[in-house]
Amino acid sequence: MTFLLGSGAGFSGDRTDAAIPVVAELIRRGKPSALVFETLGERTLAAAHRAMREAPDAGYEPLLAELLASVLGDCLSHGITILGNFGAANPDGACHVVAELAGRAGFPQAQIGRVHGDDIRAHLSSLDLQRWEAENRELPDEEALISANVYLGAVPLAEALALGAEVVVTGRVADPALFLAPLVHHFGWAWDDWDRLAAGMMAGHLAECGAQVSGGYFADPGYKNVPNLATVGYPIIEVEEDGSLVVTKPPGTGGCVTERTVKEQLLYEVHDPANYLTPDVVVDLTSVAVSQVGPDRVAVSGIRGKPAPQRLKTTVCYEGGWQGEAEISYAGPNALARAQLAAQVLRERLTFRAPPELRTRLDIVGLASVFDSDAGDLQRTMPGSASGDYRLRLAAEHAERRWVERATQELLALYCAGPAGGGGVRRHFQRRVCTASYLVKRSDVEAFATLFEKRSHYHVAS
């Protein structure tokens, strides 16, 4: 029987109402199904660890309650399994939130599975770590370490489902493993059935970024038109026991599922189509066929698999000093010349008002920014329009916050000590996070699942 995989989110900060039409369609079809929330990135995981340092009950996906509140009851009442890496740095905290929401929805006995084993900070220094590809950064000092998390595969998630979990909460796992686990559990696929595992993993890869496969991020007016992007439908993947799959979306939603949207997402973040490394299987996409089989229905076949790698990717996040931004606008007649003069003033001031190790970048947004170098080479060659609307942006980086603050204060001073007509200054500072990637032996990682037991003292805000 067909198994349906629905996407409820593709990243932290995604639309919190996206899952509603997906769940409605899963219920309408009445087939075995799962709803997946993929909300974790390397930057969001580091931010979660920082949040947990400041408040022990924090550290999970900040929008968790809003993501689940409108669909959790419907999923529990219709047997739709929920899986999510919204546990981030604090899966226990996320489990408490889920338990509280389930109780409010009338399901106080809902079974919540918790996956363990991705956080390896405690024994990082004792592991046999191998640098990942071109990684050239050394492991940070222990005091600078924020997090160290292994990308787990689908095995412990499937174990949670086998324990009877109706909601599975994880920290760091490979994104498509969230989708593979319910397929393995439902169909009983063997963990060495490489072709089927590869198909399941790519079903997850197609859906893991939410609306990217159904028109989001794909849209480029005049070249790749997408209808009704404001109500874009998040994907539903139909998977058969033999691994064949069809990508679609809920009827009546915006966006589109076409051969082109599927091909773009199929190759997204895949550096070697013949050897796409995941924790559960190495995927070979060189024989894949993509075909439109109906409106907003695309079939994908020919996915092949190879044995899983012996090492798992590990991301280490550590403190990288401070970074700051400051901006000021110049508009109207001769605005470009005034913005360029402001940039020149800043460069001169920073040569004697800041230490040499302060790194800075100056962009003139509206003339040259995204494609420019840190040295501003493109700005000096772009003609621009003398009259217009330009925003001067300073970015600064240093190990100490005071030097970043001083640099951005120099831009603030342009209000009265710079060219005419500057306004709309904005300043912002934050700690900088650096990341390094390593490979750890699979045999050194202990991943497992348990059923969660709620502690009565934990409070979840309404």
Side-chain angles (χ1 to χ4, degrees):
M1 178 184 285
T2 304
F3 192 92
L4 303 179
L5 295 168
S7 167
F11 66 99
S12 179
D14 207 345
R15 292 179 179 173
T16 56
D17 61 342
I20 296 173
V22 173
V23 171
E25 177 63 5
L26 297 180
I27 293 173
R28 187 190 71 80
R29 295 204 193 184
K31 295 181 180 297
S33 57
L35 177 68
V36 176
F37 292 88
E38 197 292 284
T39 64
L40 195 58
E42 293 175 354
R43 64 177 179 83
T44 49
L45 182 55
H49 277 278
R50 275 186 173 159
M52 195 172 174
R53 284 183 184 177
E54 298 175 5
D57 288 346
Y60 51 83
E61 165 57 43
L63 294 175
L64 175 55
E66 192 171 348
L67 286 166
L68 287 186
S70 59
V71 296
L72 179 58
D74 285 340
C75 288
L76 291 172
S77 62
H78 289 86
I80 299 171
T81 305
I82 294 177
L83 302 96
N85 55 14
F86 34 57
N90 187 5
D92 279 348
C95 287
H96 280 293
V97 174
V98 175
E100 181 74 14
L101 292 172
R104 295 177 188 176
F107 298 90
Q109 303 305 317
Q111 296 295 297
I112 302 167
R114 198 274 207 212
V115 171
H116 308 254
D118 65 296
D119 189 340
I120 59 170
R121 282 174 300 171
H123 52 285
L124 182 64
S125 60
S126 65
L127 296 176
D128 175 14
L129 295 176
Q130 183 181 97
R131 293 180 190 270
W132 183 63
E133 293 189 346
E135 183 61 68
N136 56 15
R137 299 184 183 186
E138 299 292 338
L139 278 175
D141 295 334
E142 187 171 336
E143 62 222 20
L145 183 66
I146 299 174
S147 61
N149 295 81
V150 177
Y151 283 73
L152 300 180
V155 173
L157 285 77
E159 290 177 356
L161 295 173
L163 291 173
E166 298 166 275
V167 181
V168 179
V169 176
T170 80
R172 178 75 277 174
V173 298
D175 299 345
L178 293 162
F179 297 83
L180 175 60
L183 296 175
V184 171
H185 176 70
H186 176 73
F187 290 124
W189 291 344
W191 290 108
D192 60 357
D193 191 341
W194 305 120
D195 286 350
R196 284 189 170 118
L197 293 182
M201 191 62 83
M202 293 315 293
H205 178 74
L206 286 165
E208 70 183 76
C209 293
Q212 279 190 195
V213 77
S214 50
Y217 201 72
F218 173 84
D220 194 356
Y223 298 94
K224 298 183 297 181
N225 294 319
V226 175
N228 304 318
L229 195 55
T231 57
V232 62
Y234 282 49
I236 294 173
I237 315 292
E238 304 169 358
V239 185
E240 305 298 335
E241 186 172 2
D242 63 0
S244 59
L245 58 95
V246 171
V247 184
T248 185
K249 67 181 185 68
T253 58
C256 58
V257 178
T258 69
E259 290 185 15
R260 292 199 296 170
T261 67
V262 171
K263 287 176 181 177
E264 282 198 12
Q265 182 59 29
L266 196 67
L267 296 175
Y268 177 72
E269 293 182 336
V270 174
H271 79 293
D272 182 355
N275 296 282
Y276 175 43
L277 302 177
T278 79
D280 299 294
V281 60
V282 176
V283 182
D284 182 354
L285 298 173
T286 56
S287 299
V288 165
V290 176
S291 58
Q292 195 86 37
V293 294
D296 294 319
R297 292 181 60 79
V298 174
V300 181
S301 60
I303 301 168
R304 297 290 178 261
K306 306 173 187 178
Q310 291 306 304
R311 287 181 177 263
L312 302 174
K313 182 181 176 182
T314 300
T315 297
V316 179
C317 297
Y318 56 96
E319 301 286 359
W322 287 84
Q323 60 185 11
E325 290 180 282
E327 299 175 356
I328 187 170
S329 289
Y330 296 92
N334 208 33
L336 178 56
R338 287 183 282 126
Q340 290 171 326
L341 175 58
Q344 178 185 330
V345 170
L346 271 180
R347 289 191 185 96
E348 292 179 13
R349 292 285 298 176
L350 291 175
T351 58
F352 62 84
R353 289 282 292 167
E357 62 269 18
L358 177 78
R359 291 183 58 199
T360 61
R361 175 186 172 108
L362 282 166
D363 295 311
I364 299 179
V365 181
L367 176 69
S369 53
V370 174
F371 294 111
D372 207 354
S373 66
D374 284 359
D377 299 316
L378 191 57
Q379 291 177 36
R380 289 186 280 272
T381 63
M382 294 288 287
S385 173
S387 299
D389 184 348
Y390 298 97
R391 190 152 178 86
L392 177 64
R393 172 185 176 270
L394 166 70
E397 175 186 298
H398 194 272
E400 299 180 44
R401 175 172 176 151
R402 63 183 176 126
W403 293 115
V404 173
E405 288 185 340
R406 179 171 294 184
T408 60
Q409 186 273 331
E410 289 293 341
L411 183 140
L412 176 65
L414 291 173
Y415 259 140
C416 293
V425 171
R426 179 192 69 90
R427 300 169 74 197
H428 176 70
F429 317 102
Q430 64 182 8
R431 288 187 177 275
R432 184 170 180 265
V433 175
C434 295
T435 65
S437 296
Y438 291 85
L439 299 175
V440 63
K441 287 182 178 178
R442 181 185 296 273
S443 56
D444 288 341
V445 177
E446 183 182 0
F448 61 96
T450 60
L451 287 180
F452 180 75
E453 293 185 10
K454 182 181 177 183
R455 296 190 296 275
S456 59
H457 74 271
Y458 194 94
H459 175 70
V460 178
S462 299

